[in-house]
Amino acid sequence: MRFFWTGNFKISKPIKIAISLFIFFVFLFWVGNFVYFGLKFGYSVGEIEHYFFGERDFPMEISLAQVAEDAHINLFVFSLLFLCISAILVYNGFTEKIKIYFITAFAISGLLYVFSDYLVLYLGRRFAFLKLALFLTFQIILLVSMLVSLRKGAKNGSGKILAIIIFLFALINLGFVFFNFVLFVNKMGFGISGIVDYYLGNPQKFMKPKSMLGLIEISYFHFLPMALYLITLSHFVFLVSSKFNVGLTVSLFSSALIDNASGILIVLFGGNFAVVKFISFFILQILLLISSFVLIYKLLIFKFSFPNRADNGSRYL
């Protein structure tokens, strides 16, 4: 993705075409968002209220585990979309201040929409309109960002804007960790016994054991997204601080690998491996938190610059 950050699109016509086609695919994603939202929630406040809380006479609130799982997936998709759209926005013809407004608005609106289910559940029926309002706000900003990205690009990007993008990604990562914890606790509880029950089943709690096929499918589909996410995060950490970066990177990937495979180990070798799942999960989340805190702290201290990095960090991106 180096061409995103150098801003030198003239060197390759295929890259310019690829970026245009990328924007077209994002537009299809944008259209699909409206179709999906309408089918799942509906476009009236009453329909949205019914989705979250059921009938007023027979209330049935949606499970927090389902909300956490949806938010977990949506936040990952949004994080990659944010990075790609922001990287292209850096090199449009607007002033630096306008670019920062666009990128910041895109990040905030996306995060608010991802958290909108929690807001509605926490605030209650009267605030079901927030789901629709935050959805439309995010879609409008996404559309405007796509249109703005088609504007003739600037020759060079600003290191300050790149630093702001990384800072916002660090905030997104904090949200990602939050959803990971909520999803873990709602599925398995906060102890070893809950993990054992989740994977091996518990007849007394009417819990079925997980199938090997299902676990392999989940692990298989997690490997690539996890790798993309972690290499992006560790790469950003290196931009602001090279100290302990090798150890942090290896630890991130190792804990993610063990966490992802530990469910299979529990089913194959028994409940003793639940401890492995518990420890690897929490180590991974702690490392993700440390990564975000390092990025936020260093960028604030350095006033959104990249000390000791050539070309304000663009050489390394």
Side-chain angles (χ1 to χ4, degrees), residues 45 49 53 56 120 123-130:
V45 175
E49 180 183 331
F53 303 103
R56 287 184 176 272
V120 173
L123 296 174
R125 288 180 179 272
R126 291 183 302 166
F127 292 88
F129 71 91
L130 284 175

Side-chain angles (χ1 to χ4, degrees), residues 30-42:
W30 181 79
V31 173
N33 282 340
F34 283 92
V35 176
Y36 176 77
F37 189 92
L39 292 174
K40 185 173 183 178
F41 302 104

